[in-house]
Amino acid sequence: MATTRSLSDGTALRDENVLRRVRQLGSGRDGLGEWQLQRKTALALIPLALYFVASMLRLAVSDELTAAQWLSSPVPALLTILFVIALFAHAIVGLRSVLLDYVHTRGRLLAAELLLRALVIVLAGASVLAVLKLFLAR
Amino acid sequence: MERPLSPFMFPVWYRFQITSALSILHRLTGIALAIGSMLLTWWLVAVAAGGQVFAATHAFIASPFGVLLLFLWSVAFFYHLCNGVRHLAWDAGYGFELRQAFFGSYAVLVATVVLTALAWLPLWLI
């Protein structure tokens, strides 16, 4: 299976360009980009999430000062921000595909998608802001 | 026309198989992790806010219910991580033979248990 040939193998064209030309054989719209985003964020999340969870196991029940000191140091602050961005980008693709599968009315789907995006953007923004506040105040 | 809509297959037409069970579990743990990430944001905000907000958050997380949530969250995380690596292997074109699919399924389950134990045993022993 690993030897599957795609049109783009023999040319400098990337998959998305080829797909736009051969509409009958693949998505000519933005499905591929979303598919790739899910995989790229998944790859980024392997080290980022492992680092964050390993740190969390120490910190989850620690006191305020320890937690604030950890979050305000440069490396944990940077990696936490990257983790949160990758996490919510990954979550939005995954949760959206769940909605696409189970919400069958167009209006409800649109409402659910907008609500989901708004919620995730607020959560991601609040997380980044919280870390930035601690980092800038150090 | 009345066409079948997802998830019509699962309980009625589909024989139980480890592969399909793990597949739906990947989605369920993904949803659980997304919900858990709200607690993550809350914790980050609480550390930044400090004072009473942090104290209340800390009390919640350190309570038996909070620790149970953390434990379930870690199980979901390690499962989603291991099975996600399996998905990435599939995307690269590997692991589609029936024997590999079954081996991968059990490998993911064992890895989840081992990683969860590795994460929690040190905390429990202290």
Side-chain angles (χ1 to χ4, degrees):
Chain A
M1 287 304 283
T3 56
T4 310
R5 296 257 163 205
S6 116
L7 260 176
S8 58
D9 283 353
T11 69
L13 289 176
R14 293 165 59 88
D15 278 332
E16 43 265 67
N17 298 327
V18 173
L19 283 174
R20 284 211 172 91
R21 288 185 187 183
V22 198
R23 291 227 163 165
Q24 292 91 333
L25 296 181
S27 167
R29 296 196 285 173
D30 51 1
L32 181 63
E34 198 148 289
W35 187 91
Q36 287 178 334
L37 178 67
Q38 192 171 35
R39 271 67 187 178
K40 285 170 186 167
T41 50
L43 280 174
L45 279 169
I46 297 174
L48 288 173
L50 278 174
Y51 168 79
F52 189 80
V53 167
S55 313
M56 260 356 255
L57 286 169
R58 272 187 311 113
L59 282 171
V61 289
S62 73
D63 59 290
E64 186 183 335
L65 193 68
T66 317
Q69 266 177 353
W70 183 76
L71 272 176
S72 58
S73 7
V75 173
L78 173 66
L79 292 180
T80 301
I81 289 175
L82 293 179
F83 166 64
V84 164
I85 292 172
L87 169 73
F88 284 115
H90 190 76
I92 228 174
V93 181
L95 291 174
R96 190 170 165 265
S97 73
V98 175
L99 293 180
L100 288 173
D101 278 351
Y102 299 127
V103 182
H104 302 304
T105 318
R106 203 181 170 81
R108 277 188 204 167
L109 180 62
L110 183 63
E113 274 192 65
L114 289 175
L115 207 64
L116 170 70
R117 280 178 196 276
L119 182 66
V120 166
I121 288 168
V122 168
L123 286 172
S127 306
V128 172
L129 201 60
V131 179
L132 277 182
K133 187 206 168 205
L134 288 162
F135 175 68
L136 295 174
R138 83 196 217 97
Chain B
M1 189 167 75
E2 283 290 312
R3 284 183 297 184
L5 291 170
S6 181
F8 78 103
M9 290 290 273
F10 208 40
V12 189
W13 303 104
Y14 228 58
R15 173 172 60 87
F16 178 87
Q17 310 164 78
I18 182 84
T19 43
S20 56
L22 292 203
S23 172
I24 193 64
L25 205 55
H26 192 69
R27 177 164 270 195
L28 290 176
T29 51
I31 296 169
L33 288 168
I35 295 170
S37 66
M38 295 201 283
L39 185 67
L40 163 69
T41 298
W42 180 245
W43 183 80
L44 291 172
V45 170
V47 178
Q52 280 200 321
V53 181
F54 182 86
T57 309
H58 182 80
F60 173 69
I61 294 175
S63 72
F65 181 64
V67 173
L68 178 70
L69 277 185
L70 277 187
F71 180 76
L72 293 176
W73 195 45
S74 70
V75 175
F77 167 69
F78 286 125
Y79 174 78
H80 200 84
L81 175 75
C82 297
N83 203 47
V85 170
R86 195 158 151 253
H87 267 281
L88 289 172
W90 286 330
D91 292 336
Y94 299 101
F96 285 111
E97 295 300 325
L98 201 54
R99 274 185 59 192
Q100 296 169 330
F102 281 121
F103 176 78
S105 301
Y106 290 108
V108 162
L109 289 179
V110 170
T112 303
V113 172
V114 169
L115 286 172
T116 310
L118 278 178
W120 284 89
L121 276 181
L123 294 177
W124 187 62
L125 291 175
I126 293 167

